[in-house]
Amino acid sequence: MMDFALLAQDLFNTPLAIHPRKAEIAMWSLAEKLGITQLVRFDGSHVPMAMEDDDAFVSSPSRDRRQDPGYDMLGGLGIIPVTGTLAQKTRSLRPYSGMTGYDGLRQSFLTAMCDDAVKMPVFDLSSGGGAVAGLFDLVDDIYAARGTKPIAAILSESAYSAAYVLASAVDPGRIYVPRTGGTGSNGCICMHVDYSKAIGNAGMKVTFITSEGADRKADGHPEIPLSADAYDAIKADVDEMGTLLHETVGRNRGLAASAVRAQQAATFMGAHGVAAGLADHVMAPSAAIAALLAEIA
């Protein structure tokens, strides 16, 4: 229940850097507990309940933090797995129950940087993105470590939004994407659910009573319609986080923030991501590993 509460807190009324499809899947993971029987897109189409079709939500066996550094050794490469929805905190160094935590990634990365056996930390990414909270601090830590050891990212298969921001922090020239893999979706999104009609249809009415001077205290609550002021406040937060995302990706990849923004959060497959400046090599993961092993040999 604690994991559910934390995930719900990270999903609603807060900016997210996540691919829209992954946002839908994450919403379905909460639907039953929230009493939601159907999700509808802005165009009126229904969102299929496809949790079972997304392998990012297959639980991974837990490991002992005291013995597991959070990465696998392959030659001198320390392979750090990044899969599923990205969250600020999880219970594991490894991807767990469809999520990867920034807290675990930080510990794994710093351990790899201090491990003499690891000649090159390598992020193995397959993620549609996730929470903004905690993302940029981790990305800054990785960016600041450039020059200490070589750092690389192999996409297997895609890294979108927050996952791409993470990938962008590695050394220039060391982002590998397969020909069918994807990069991009560089923008932020926020979901607000309005239950007010459903509550009214059930014969109930919700009234929020706030203290004097706290008129905006109920902004964004799902039991009442979203007011114009609440929308504007949320939109301002999303825009601010989007600007930070564009500036961070631009810094990491040597691009102007305006150029990243001009991509309009589009996604790019394979070589198109290289052409857009978001990746460096089109290569299958196995070939990318072989190239990195040859580099540190």
Side-chain angles (χ1 to χ4, degrees):
M1 287 303 296
M2 181 61 69
D3 287 343
F4 163 73
L6 290 173
L7 181 57
Q9 175 180 296
D10 284 343
L11 278 176
F12 297 111
N13 300 326
T14 187
L16 300 174
I18 189 169
H19 192 280
R21 171 63 182 143
K22 293 296 182 180
E24 292 176 351
I25 294 172
M27 270 297 299
W28 265 126
S29 71
L30 301 176
E32 181 179 354
K33 293 182 181 294
L34 294 173
I36 298 172
T37 59
Q38 183 58 257
L39 296 178
V40 181
R41 300 187 179 101
F42 283 113
D43 62 4
S45 62
H46 292 285
V47 178
M49 184 180 285
M51 282 288 295
E52 65 276 8
D53 296 332
D54 196 283
D55 58 9
F57 279 84
V58 175
S59 296
S60 301
S62 60
R63 302 176 187 232
D64 190 335
R65 269 182 184 262
R66 293 168 298 180
Q67 299 180 10
D68 178 21
Y71 53 85
D72 298 307
M73 290 299 301
L74 181 58
L77 305 179
I79 309 296
I80 304 172
V82 186
T83 63
T85 302
L86 305 183
Q88 184 178 17
K89 295 181 180 181
T90 63
R91 69 176 72 177
S92 174
L93 291 176
R94 300 275 182 163
Y96 179 84
S97 193
M99 295 185 291
T100 300
Y102 298 135
D103 57 339
L105 287 176
R106 174 179 284 102
Q107 183 171 334
S108 298
F109 175 71
L110 294 178
T111 301
M113 292 298 291
C114 295
D115 186 346
D116 291 339
V118 177
K119 305 304 180 184
M120 182 188 300
V122 180
F123 291 97
D124 176 12
L125 292 122
S126 178
S127 171
V132 166
L135 168 65
F136 296 106
D137 292 337
L138 171 60
V139 168
D140 285 349
D141 288 344
I142 299 169
Y143 179 82
R146 286 181 178 183
T148 306
K149 288 183 179 182
I151 310 167
I154 297 176
L155 278 53
S156 60
E157 176 100 338
S158 300
Y160 294 123
S161 208
Y164 178 74
V165 180
L166 178 62
S168 74
V170 307
D171 292 336
R174 289 200 175 99
I175 296 181
Y176 296 80
V177 60
R179 56 189 171 178
T180 56
T183 52
S185 191
N186 287 316
C188 291
I189 188 171
C190 182
M191 294 177 286
H192 178 269
V193 177
D194 182 349
Y195 299 154
S196 59
K197 185 175 180 180
I199 291 172
N201 289 341
M204 297 181 289
K205 181 180 179 180
V206 175
T207 301
F208 285 98
I209 302 171
T210 60
S211 61
E212 184 177 355
D215 297 343
R216 301 287 299 277
K217 187 72 173 178
D219 279 3
H221 277 261
E223 295 86 356
I224 56 178
L226 189 66
S227 69
D229 286 342
Y231 175 88
D232 290 343
I234 295 172
K235 180 66 163 64
D237 286 345
V238 172
D239 287 344
E240 184 174 353
M241 291 299 100
T243 297
L244 179 57
L245 188 154
H246 298 146
E247 291 176 347
T248 301
V249 169
R251 176 200 68 183
N252 293 352
R253 294 294 298 171
L255 301 170
S258 59
V260 181
R261 183 181 296 107
Q263 294 173 355
Q264 297 184 318
T267 60
F268 302 90
M269 186 170 71
H272 298 290
V274 175
L278 301 181
D280 303 299
H281 310 280
V282 179
M283 200 175 290
S286 57
I289 288 174
L292 294 176
L293 285 171
E295 183 178 341
I296 62 173

